Structure formats: C-alpha cells, structure tokens
Amino acid sequence: MSLCLICAAELSQTVTWRSVIFLEKEETCCSECLGKFTLIEGPVCRTCGRPQADEQICYDCERWQYDELGHVLTSNRSVYHYNDSMKDVIARYKYRGDAALVRVFKDSFRQAYNQHFKEAGLIVPVPLSSERLYERGFNQALLLAELLGRPVLSPLNRKHLEKQSKKTREERLQSENVFFIENPSDILSKHILLIDDIYTTGTTIRQAANVLIQNGAKKVSSLTLVRG
C-alpha cells in the first residue's frame, strides 16, 4: 500500500506487469494535494522567470542592471508559484526534515529542466554551510538536483551566516557574498545550471552565479522549484 507523502491518504495506484516492465512513474502524491500546487504557466520575465503579462524584463530585473550582479545570471526558471500549500510543504521539506517530499516534484522538475536547460553543461546545487548542513541533515537543493538524473557537481562552498529567511528584502539585497570556490578547474568555460528551492529576490542565486563567472564559468542559469 502506498500513501500520499503529503497527507498520508492511501493511493490507488495498481501495480501491473506493464508498470514494472516499463517503469511507469511513481505515484507519490494524491490528486487532491497535487491540485493545491500551481504551476507557473504563460508569459514570464525572460530573465528571472517572474510571471507577468508579457516576456519583457520585469521591474526587479531592470533594477538589477544597475548592480554589479546584474549581468551574471543568464536566466532563471521556476516551476511553481509560492502559494500557501507550497509554503507548508516547503516548511516541512526544508525546516522540519521531511526529505522524502522532494519525490513529489520529480516529474514537474524534470519537465522544466528538459524544456529550458537540457543544453546546460554542469548541474550545480546551491550549497549550505557546513553548520547549516549539520543542523538540517541534508541539502534541499542537492536533492532537487539529483531528481534530474544527471551528474551533479558541487564546486561551491558557503560561509555560515544568518538564515536568509530571517532577513528583509533590503537586507538580502545588501548582504555580503557568502560563496567561494577552492578548485575552479571543473567549471572553466562551462554553461552551469544552478539548482535551488526558492527564488525570492534573486540575491542568493546571483551571488553564486557571480562567483562561478569570476572563476571561469562561461554562462550561468538557474532552475528553482518555487518563485517567491
């Protein structure tokens, strides 16, 4: 018997010879829970992936053009809106240690990757500091990256500072760059796809992208599960 990873309701999936032989997709979430998430569809900002009426550069990205980090990120795409249901699941996944929840998003995350970033050369998860990794027990961005079924590289390191979630938007935008690379040889002249759970102001992604570019990466894009 399989249970929904979110509400623990019994799933009605029937195991057949066809499902075993052809490896049909694993059912991990009931239709009621899945229906509470909202996919990002339609026009988005061509840089950050923010949903809007057209594909022009949004106001936030226009402001980024006047910052030193304004041109380090080629594009970001996110899979879901950050609605109340997604907030609850992210809190369970990220802060309460329910790592298995990542399996709910396998198909949609892979679909977004295949649609937008299949040509990317290297998949790189945004890292946690060693202290935060010890505290949480896993890196949520790494688990998302592993959903793609491609080799994952982890050249980035991260200093331990206050949690981004505790900072205001202005504090995030003004925060120091927490990332560094000790051995850049693996990223030289590569198109890198950064993976993270949430794109909020874009500061974290852009700081990571900036360090990669400064250390020889040719191009940096990002794929995130949620657009805040």
Side-chain angles (χ1 to χ4, degrees):
M1 179 179 68
S2 297
L3 301 179
C4 173
L5 290 175
I6 295 176
C7 72
E10 183 176 349
L11 299 175
S12 58
Q13 183 180 39
T14 301
V15 178
T16 65
W17 282 111
R18 177 178 176 81
S19 66
V20 173
I21 295 172
F22 293 99
L23 299 176
E24 293 181 348
K25 69 178 183 179
E26 175 190 22
E27 190 174 5
T28 58
C29 182
C30 69
S31 57
E32 184 175 348
C33 286
L34 203 58
K36 294 178 181 179
F37 305 134
T38 305
L39 288 167
I40 293 177
E41 299 176 318
V44 297
C45 168
R46 63 174 181 260
T47 300
C48 74
R50 180 179 187 170
Q52 55 184 22
D54 54 44
E55 296 183 356
Q56 299 301 311
I57 294 177
C58 71
Y59 176 65
D60 282 344
C61 288
E62 286 184 352
R63 288 190 295 173
W64 272 115
Q65 302 306 307
Y66 300 98
D67 190 278
E68 62 178 341
L69 302 181
H71 301 280
V72 297
L73 184 69
T74 300
S75 67
N76 172 77
R77 290 296 177 269
S78 303
V79 184
Y80 291 99
H81 292 274
Y82 200 31
N83 62 15
D84 289 340
S85 295
M86 182 60 74
K87 288 178 184 179
D88 291 341
V89 170
I90 289 293
R92 282 177 55 186
Y93 172 55
K94 189 172 179 178
Y95 301 115
R96 296 201 289 274
D98 199 346
L101 285 171
V102 73
R103 291 158 51 201
V104 170
F105 307 113
K106 180 178 179 179
D107 293 328
S108 57
F109 204 66
R110 279 192 172 187
Q111 183 176 352
Y113 167 74
N114 288 330
Q115 180 179 353
H116 299 291
F117 299 115
K118 201 170 183 179
E119 81 287 353
L122 293 176
I123 295 173
V124 174
V126 172
L128 299 176
S129 66
S130 57
E131 291 87 348
R132 192 77 68 220
L133 182 61
Y134 177 79
E135 171 188 299
R136 192 168 296 170
F138 64 94
N139 179 0
Q140 73 279 357
L142 174 58
L143 295 188
L144 285 167
E146 290 175 342
L147 292 179
L148 301 177
R150 297 285 305 278
V152 175
L153 188 71
S154 298
L156 287 168
N157 298 283
R158 187 171 188 159
K159 303 173 189 176
H160 184 66
L161 296 176
E162 182 183 9
K163 292 181 180 179
Q164 288 290 308
S165 59
K166 292 185 176 181
K167 296 180 179 180
T168 65
R169 176 185 174 85
E170 289 71 23
E171 287 172 338
R172 291 187 187 195
L173 292 173
Q174 296 172 9
S175 60
E176 67 171 287
N177 199 322
V178 297
F179 300 104
F180 63 96
I181 294 177
E182 293 179 342
N183 183 11
S185 60
D186 291 333
I187 68 169
L188 294 177
S189 302
K190 295 292 197 312
H191 176 190
I192 292 174
L193 179 64
L194 283 167
I195 303 294
D196 207 1
D197 54 348
I198 303 175
Y199 183 109
T200 306
T201 64
T203 303
T204 298
I205 288 288
R206 290 175 183 275
Q207 286 182 342
N210 188 46
V211 170
L212 291 166
I213 293 292
Q214 288 181 340
N215 283 273
K218 179 180 180 181
K219 176 180 176 181
V220 180
S221 306
S222 62
L223 173 62
T224 62
L225 181 65
V226 176
R227 183 62 167 81

